[in-house]
Amino acid sequence: MRADATRNLERVLSTGARMLADDPSATIAAIAAAAGVDRRTVYRRFASREDLMAAVYTARYDAVEEAVEAARLREAPVAVALHRYVEGIIAVNRKWPVETSRMLREATISERRRRLVDEVGVFLRRATDEGLLRSDLPPGWAATVLSPLMEHAAEDLSELSAAQAADVVVDTLLRGVGTPGAPQQR
């Protein structure tokens, strides 16, 4: 693909992700106009709005896989890998703000997600085994709370860079939201 065609495709997909997150009924013509390309260009590439959405989902998951790979969850020290992972996923959530429940109904995305969930699960067990995370929590609890923390940070901490938002998420995951030394109810 030519460099300008690649840039146009990237612009259409990222614009489509943002517009569809704001308005799930956004049309291909509106997305093309916002991306600054002719709608015929988009229709040549995507036969339907569903095809465009599938391409957006695929691009998002490509970015998620790249973020997981860049975090080096198996090789890097756990604290470093955790921060890299969180920062990468926050950046992906900001660039590709699609409604994920609909995305997960796509069969190819579902399988890719399962592999990534498994890889992150292995990493979080490693983080527990190495003492970064508590071992007395129910299995999978860290993953359960980490995902929405990253989603909220991407949306609600938009004034912070992805790295700064990752600092907040990692600190919240590791230390909670209570004040140090606050009495605990049992």
Side-chain angles (χ1 to χ4, degrees):
M1 191 181 302
R2 296 184 336 257
D4 62 327
T6 300
R7 279 191 304 274
N8 285 345
L9 177 60
E10 169 85 14
R11 211 168 36 243
V12 166
L13 293 176
S14 61
T15 300
R18 283 191 307 280
M19 289 182 71
L20 291 166
D22 291 340
D23 177 10
S25 66
T27 64
I28 287 181
I31 292 167
V37 300
D38 187 82
R39 72 179 169 84
R40 291 174 297 195
T41 301
V42 179
Y43 278 110
R44 273 193 301 273
R45 178 84 178 166
F46 306 105
S48 67
R49 194 170 162 282
E50 288 71 31
D51 288 348
L52 173 60
M53 289 175 67
V56 167
Y57 297 156
T58 298
R60 176 188 163 81
Y61 250 80
D62 289 347
V64 167
E65 288 171 341
E66 289 170 15
V68 169
E69 186 175 318
R72 299 182 51 230
L73 299 179
R74 294 182 189 267
E75 305 87 24
V78 291
V80 172
L82 176 62
H83 196 279
R84 284 180 186 162
Y85 169 70
V86 171
E87 181 179 346
I89 298 301
I90 288 171
V92 168
N93 287 343
R94 287 178 175 174
K95 182 172 183 177
W96 303 103
V98 298
E99 203 276 298
T100 56
S101 66
R102 184 170 180 186
M103 178 179 74
L104 296 177
R105 289 191 294 252
E106 295 281 326
T108 58
I109 299 297
S110 181
E111 175 57 27
R112 290 171 75 183
R113 181 179 185 276
R114 187 195 57 73
R115 285 192 307 267
L116 290 174
V117 165
D118 289 349
E119 186 168 348
V120 171
V122 167
F123 166 71
L124 292 173
R125 282 189 294 284
R126 177 179 159 225
T128 302
D129 292 345
E130 293 187 21
L132 186 69
L133 299 175
R134 289 175 36 194
S135 62
D136 62 333
L137 296 173
W141 185 246
T144 299
V145 298
L146 181 56
S147 185
L149 284 174
M150 293 185 295
E151 288 176 25
H152 285 293
E155 294 173 17
D156 301 336
L157 302 177
S158 60
E159 72 283 0
L160 300 179
S161 70
Q164 292 167 321
D167 290 343
V168 173
V169 169
V170 170
D171 187 61
T172 302
L173 180 70
L174 298 180
R175 292 173 188 61
V177 295
T179 33
Q184 293 183 355
Q185 298 294 321
R186 297 245 174 194

